[in-house]
Amino acid sequence: MQGLSLKISQQQRLSPQQIQFVKLLQIPTAELAARIEEELEENPALEEGLDIRDSDEFDEKERETVEDLEREELEIGDYLQDDYAGYKMAGDSYDSNEESKERPMATVASAEDYLLMQIGFVLKNEREEIIAHQLIGSLEEDGYLRRNIESIVNDLAFTQGFTTDFHEVEVVLKKIQALDPAGIGARDLQECLSIQLHRRESDHPTCLLAIRLIDEFFDEFSKKHFVQLQQKLGIDESELKKAINLIKRLNPKPGGAEGGNLAPYLQPDFVVTNQHGKLDIKLNGKNAPELRVSKSFQEMLQTYDQGNKQQKEIKEAVTFIKHKLDAASWFIQAIQQRQGTLMKTMHSIVAQQYDFFLTGDDASLKPMKMKEIAALIEMDVSTVSRVVSAKSVQTDFGIYPLKYFFSEGITHESGEDVSTREVKNILREIIEQEPTHEPYPDETLELLLAEKGFVVKRRTVAKYREQLGIPVARLRRKL
């Protein structure tokens, strides 16, 4: 006979307000106005305001259902307070008394322009620029490059009289594949998923298992030979399911479904300017509308309050109005929280990379990880990841994606911490100056870096070289 047992467990669930905040936190400024417009259309209790003060913190109010209302009288007076003042979006970014200044705001008319803007940060010469334009122009709507590299080489020769080879084109392709969105420029689904998984740079067992499934066992994975995979990898069913669920959350079409429209407009989320040696940080919200809770809805509640509150129709109407007012206040509070979190994170990033924002010199970039910023702002690293995702900052030296400022670090022999980005740039310069007939193997590159004070192991040199899209020595040899 089967016995009964009682099990007590705790589960963490996000409230609707928290889910709304997480979604708003992740979207860039270019999409925020559209999201606000969507909420304005769906909720008549939310409206644009032209002359309103910044709202205070909204107190949490108990949410009743229709059944609750039938058991107790609704306190309509709670909804007739001035606490629902509103939220002035532009106030976070621009002083209304500030003299209007023209700032060069970059806009991107197409997905192709968005990619070309990003690739400009990593290209080193005019040859790479020509190849990058050809490759990006050859991407299909879903973001894949299905034209083989040999054909790209021939296209450049016939249309532009530009002579190149397979390896030079592949080096530039690797740089394109390092752009956002992750997976762009992949030649097939396997490569697309692999790029996205490696981009996570996570040592979590589930992520490492997912990488092995895609990189080493993609054929079995695509044919759903799960039992065979468990035997080959020596894992149980729960481990395999976790890895599969992670893979399912990846984007198989990084270019999108609507004409490859990756980013209709590129608009910096932050503006950092040098004001006489002091950095001024502003959140770009100039084009977002001002919001407030509708006073007419509050007046409607007041009207219903004077009626017969025992009638079912009146109770239902009051419930509808109350829920709309709640939704409006939740949305305004989520916007406020989003802006505050963004500014808090950006201030920490600027504080860590202060010298770069003053000079624009890549050599002044310091090693920085997301978990370090998370510790500084006392938030979870996942929050920082959402803030950084698809966001950019306009500086006196151009527009940079926020991901640009995060990198690992190594210790120079002088004891100074150096960003791996600087080490990669030095490694690239060494390879560019090597004899073409006898390129340096990784062991030699390790010694040459050591002479410059950067002590890195050979496997680390190989890792940096691969991240730069540079092939091994035998493939770089030119007779």
Side-chain angles (χ1 to χ4, degrees):
M1 180 177 177
Q2 186 176 5
L4 298 176
S5 63
L6 181 64
K7 182 181 180 181
I8 300 176
S9 63
Q10 288 184 334
Q11 289 184 335
Q12 186 175 11
R13 296 179 182 273
L14 293 178
S15 67
Q17 300 97 304
Q18 290 173 316
I19 294 173
Q20 187 176 60
F21 166 66
V22 167
K23 290 181 178 179
L24 286 172
L25 188 63
Q26 193 159 352
I27 63 174
T29 296
E31 300 176 18
L32 181 61
R35 176 66 185 89
I36 292 175
E37 187 65 30
E38 178 184 335
E39 191 71 19
L40 287 169
E41 292 178 359
E42 293 179 358
N43 189 351
L46 184 68
E47 63 182 20
E48 294 186 40
L50 298 178
D51 186 18
I52 57 178
R53 62 178 174 85
D54 293 336
S55 73
D56 298 327
E57 289 290 331
F58 288 95
D59 295 330
E60 281 296 321
K61 295 179 169 47
E62 183 180 357
R63 270 72 185 176
E64 297 96 347
T65 63
V66 174
E67 290 77 10
D68 295 329
L69 295 174
E70 291 176 353
R71 289 194 297 268
E72 60 183 5
E73 184 176 349
L74 176 66
E75 296 181 4
I76 296 181
D78 291 344
Y79 289 85
L80 303 180
Q81 305 299 322
D82 282 340
D83 290 340
Y84 291 98
Y87 179 66
K88 192 169 184 179
M89 298 290 296
D92 283 339
S93 307
Y94 298 91
D95 185 352
S96 58
N97 298 320
E98 181 184 10
E99 181 182 355
S100 178
K101 298 178 181 178
E102 290 294 328
R103 290 187 176 95
M105 300 293 286
T107 59
V108 179
S110 67
E112 182 176 343
D113 290 338
Y114 178 52
L115 292 171
L116 290 173
M117 184 282 299
Q118 294 181 75
I119 197 68
F121 292 113
V122 296
L123 296 178
K124 290 298 181 180
N125 52 55
E126 187 177 350
R127 289 186 61 84
E128 290 190 348
E129 184 177 350
I130 294 172
I131 297 171
H133 276 73
Q134 185 70 31
L135 286 169
I136 292 174
S138 301
L139 297 180
E140 297 190 9
E141 292 183 353
D142 54 8
Y144 284 83
L145 179 69
R146 293 189 173 88
R147 191 167 178 78
N148 60 53
I149 292 183
E150 290 83 357
S151 298
I152 300 292
V153 172
N154 293 334
D155 291 343
L156 286 166
F158 294 142
T159 61
Q160 302 185 41
F162 181 85
T163 303
T164 182
D165 56 28
F166 179 95
H167 303 298
E168 188 176 17
V169 174
E170 189 169 40
V171 167
V172 179
L173 177 60
K174 292 295 183 183
K175 294 181 180 181
I176 292 174
Q177 291 176 347
L179 306 179
D180 286 327
I184 198 73
R187 285 161 283 191
D188 53 40
L189 178 60
Q190 181 182 9
E191 187 174 31
C192 177
L193 299 177
S194 178
I195 290 170
Q196 294 179 59
L197 288 170
H198 283 283
R199 184 79 66 90
R200 292 171 178 259
E201 295 185 351
S202 172
D203 292 331
H204 193 279
T206 300
C207 185
L208 296 176
L209 177 57
I211 290 174
R212 290 198 65 190
L213 286 174
I214 297 302
D215 288 355
E216 302 175 30
F217 302 97
F218 185 75
D219 188 53
E220 292 92 335
F221 172 77
S222 59
K223 293 178 180 178
K224 299 184 178 180
H225 294 168
F226 297 144
V227 176
Q228 186 178 349
L229 285 171
Q230 286 179 236
Q231 295 173 349
K232 286 186 175 181
L233 293 167
I235 58 175
D236 57 33
E237 185 179 356
S238 63
E239 291 176 301
L240 181 61
K241 282 184 177 179
K242 289 179 182 178
I244 292 174
N245 288 333
L246 174 60
I247 294 171
K248 285 181 177 179
R249 292 198 295 270
L250 302 176
N251 183 10
K253 295 183 178 180
E258 300 180 1
N261 196 11
L262 302 173
Y265 301 97
L266 181 65
Q267 186 176 343
D269 301 85
F270 304 92
V271 179
V272 178
T273 54
N274 186 346
Q275 301 289 345
H276 308 293
K278 183 179 179 181
L279 294 176
D280 181 43
I281 307 171
K282 293 181 179 179
L283 182 62
N284 183 16
K286 190 173 183 179
N287 298 325
E290 303 164 4
L291 299 176
R292 68 179 179 187
V293 176
S294 172
K295 290 186 179 297
S296 63
F297 259 62
Q298 299 177 50
E299 293 170 357
M300 287 172 64
L301 268 184
Q302 193 172 19
T303 301
Y304 280 115
D305 187 35
Q306 297 171 357
N308 184 0
K309 294 189 282 291
Q310 300 304 317
Q311 292 184 11
K312 183 179 179 181
E313 293 79 5
I314 292 182
K315 285 186 177 181
E316 291 177 350
V318 169
T319 301
F320 172 80
I321 296 172
K322 177 178 179 293
H323 286 174
K324 290 300 181 183
L325 286 172
D326 282 341
S329 67
W330 288 342
F331 188 76
I332 291 174
Q333 186 179 14
I335 292 290
Q336 287 180 311
Q337 192 176 356
R338 173 190 186 271
Q339 313 298 66
T341 303
L342 289 178
M343 283 297 290
K344 198 173 182 180
T345 305
M346 192 65 214
H347 273 283
S348 296
I349 292 174
V350 171
Q352 294 294 100
Q353 306 291 4
Y354 201 86
D355 291 340
F356 173 83
F357 285 98
L358 282 177
T359 64
D361 184 6
D362 283 353
S364 62
L365 283 172
K366 299 177 181 177
M368 186 173 71
K369 299 180 181 179
M370 289 188 188
K371 63 181 181 182
E372 295 172 0
I373 297 298
L376 289 173
I377 65 176
E378 298 180 342
M379 291 185 177
D380 192 83
V381 67
S382 63
T383 301
V384 177
S385 177
R386 289 186 174 93
V387 171
V388 171
S389 176
K391 307 290 195 311
S392 60
V393 55
Q394 178 178 313
T395 71
D396 294 334
F397 318 101
I399 298 178
Y400 293 84
L402 290 192
K403 288 183 179 179
Y404 186 77
F405 303 105
F406 292 89
S407 65
E408 300 287 336
I410 67 170
T411 302
H412 191 272
E413 64 177 11
S414 63
E416 180 184 1
D417 288 336
V418 181
S419 169
T420 55
R421 182 175 285 109
E422 182 179 351
V423 180
K424 289 177 185 178
N425 288 336
I426 293 173
L427 178 62
R428 188 202 305 273
E429 292 174 1
I430 292 174
I431 293 176
E432 288 177 349
Q433 297 172 8
E434 69 183 359
T436 56
H437 64 282
E438 192 176 353
Y440 300 136
D442 292 342
E443 292 81 359
T444 304
L445 294 173
E446 176 187 356
L447 295 174
L448 292 173
L449 284 173
E451 290 177 3
K452 295 180 178 291
F454 302 102
V455 181
V456 292
K457 296 185 179 299
R458 188 202 62 79
R459 62 175 180 271
T460 306
V461 173
K463 175 185 174 182
Y464 291 167
R465 176 178 51 72
E466 290 173 359
Q467 290 176 348
L468 291 169
I470 299 174
V472 295
R474 63 182 177 81
L475 298 178
R476 302 199 305 270
R477 184 179 291 111
K478 296 180 181 179
L479 300 177

